[in-house]
Amino acid sequence: MNHIRNFCIIAHIDHGKSTLADRLLQTTGTISDRDMQAQALDDMDLERERGITIKSHAIQMSYKFEGKDYILNLIDTPGHVDFSYEVSRSIAACEGALLIVDASQGIEAQTISNLYLALEHDLEIIPILNKMDLPGAMPEEVSDQIVELIGCDYEDIIPASGKTGLGVDAILAAVVNRIPAPKGDEAAPLQAMIFDSVFNPFRGIIAYYRVKNGVIKKGQKVRFLNTGRDYNADEIGILKMDLSPRNEVRAGDVGYIISGIKQANEVKVGDTITSTENPCEVAIKGFEDVKPMVFAGIYPVDTEDYEELRYSMEKLQLNDSSLVFEPESSAALGFGFRCGFLGMLHMEIIQERLEREFNMTVITTVPNVSYKAYMKKDPEDAFIVNNPSELPDPSGMDRIEEPYIKAQVITKTEYVGAIMTLCIEKRGELQNQVYLTQDRVEITFEMPLAEIVFDFYDRLKSVSRGYASFDYHPIGYKESDLIKMDLLLNGEQVDALSALVHRSNAYDLGKRICVKLRELIPRQQFEIPIQAAIGAKVIARETIKALRKDVTAKCYGGDISRKRKLLEKQKAGKKRMRQVGRVEVPQEAFLAVLKLND
């Protein structure tokens, strides 16, 4: 065990974690130059296309240092704020972390947030100054920021470059010298913590774990403490570029287990594996359950695909345990699921993965957050509202509370004014303003979570020309003057477009949504009024003029199959539309509310 080191890589988005991980894999000979490709650990097409890491990836490297052989278990983690849950799981399986900071950009919001996660778990932090080969690198300034943030010495900071391979040997030496070996007792009863799981269509669920105490052997009977079920360890092993089977995995090591589990709900990330004959007394204290921030409905375009969508979501939940969903139905869209996401990027990724990996075409409703409603007859008992249509009758309601967050924005000083204007427009209250260096400032706000759900992140990037970085954490619920705004098409309410909004924003928002829908909803053969209403009071209205359309007009005479072909073509286009009353609403209209500022 003295020759094992477990460590993860943490950093802000786009600071070069995956590229540096590639160099570590090449230097230790884990991956041959022939098989090398950029972002070697990112195995989803989506990750390569967007250049982001979505899932954390574990891999074992062998390294010879000063004549001794060491085993290094590396976990590469995502950098985006929406995936900080993946980071917290990786941190729980490690003793050390490489904190990577881009030498040309300096410390950003997510760097600080991930650093605090690591410090809570008492990890040994190795600071690394990456991208030193860039002409815009500012090593002295950024080193000052790092020293101020974690209180290390200047000598502790390793200058490196993932592109050129500078400093990679120094990093590996620091991992061996500075990160403590895992503690654990091989003679004790088996105790291993599951930190991730993936689904393989041929072999079932593969769980990744870190052994804290004891030894896990091939063919042994094991028990998952959380579910209380027993399984055979059909295959165990360690994680190289591919799964590498072993006869036993010992304390301190990271490995995988295949035991023929087919049901998604039988493996819970954070669960403890122990042996059936000699179980351990207590489960390892893992990590708390993740709390979704943003809720949206996901519905199949064809109602018949409902069961298939459920199956796809369960499979996806294995790869991404932060996805939460439950069945719901809507008058406009039929049966579907109410899903909880960690943020807008997470929601976008899930929708894209459903389409790519499971071939499901889905409609996503307007995202919202969960509110607490208190009734007059029982003002102490909260009623959770995840969907505007669940809101009780306003006459019997005492008050509504909405979730608030504490947001930290780190930016250059020249953009402070524009960012403050944006935050105040989003009902934010300025709490604090700290100058990290002469031209970098950290602004702290308290603001409603509902306001950042839509377009906050995009607008923050545009007003700061991409320089501002953003991180947030929930701070609880506060009372708010919220009202439910309904949308009526042709006099009929569309429940999928209802929203809970602040009274001060209602009129402006109602008008803008109506204008947007008028552009997106195709003209019908009858006139369609679009109205935004609060209760019985209409606050905005737009009208779509009538139109007559005949696709077979150009077929005079000839074979019936020509007409049929045109009609079939028309039918295929209509499939993506939805009948709401007698008005067809295209999918873009359901998401139009998100892009009101375009």
Side-chain angles (χ1 to χ4, degrees), residues 251-262:
D253 219 338
V254 172
Y256 71 90
I257 177 169
I258 300 176
S259 47
I261 304 172
K262 292 282 189 284

Side-chain angles (χ1 to χ4, degrees), residues 107 139-149 154 157 437:
I107 283 176
E140 290 84 9
E141 284 177 43
V142 181
S143 297
D144 292 345
Q145 291 176 23
I146 295 175
V147 168
E148 203 172 306
L149 181 67
Y154 283 97
I157 302 171
T437 61

Side-chain angles (χ1 to χ4, degrees), residues 158-191:
I158 303 172
S161 162
K163 197 175 265 180
T164 62
L166 165 78
V168 172
D169 290 323
I171 293 171
L172 289 166
V175 166
V176 172
N177 291 330
R178 281 154 63 176
I179 293 179
K183 295 179 179 67
D185 180 3
E186 289 189 3
L190 172 65
Q191 204 181 24

Side-chain angles (χ1 to χ4, degrees), residues 353-382:
R353 285 183 70 185
L354 279 172
E355 292 190 359
R356 284 184 184 209
E357 295 172 27
F358 302 100
N359 217 358
M360 298 292 312
T361 322
V362 292
I363 288 179
T364 315
T365 62
V366 178
N368 58 0
V369 297
S370 56
Y371 301 89
K372 283 184 179 172
Y374 292 86
M375 307 307 287
K376 283 179 181 162
K377 60 174 186 278
D378 188 3
E380 293 307 309
D381 193 23

Side-chain angles (χ1 to χ4, degrees), residues 563-575:
K563 287 188 179 179
R564 190 166 295 140
K565 189 174 170 188
L566 282 169
L567 291 167
E568 284 296 323
K569 198 171 170 188
Q570 188 184 27
K571 190 165 137 195
K574 284 185 192 287
K575 194 174 174 187

Side-chain angles (χ1 to χ4, degrees), residues 305-320:
D305 295 340
Y306 173 72
E307 278 305 322
E308 205 171 315
L309 180 62
R310 178 200 294 273
Y311 179 73
S312 307
M313 301 271 271
E314 282 173 359
K315 292 283 173 285
L316 206 51
Q317 202 174 26
L318 279 175
N319 278 330
D320 183 353

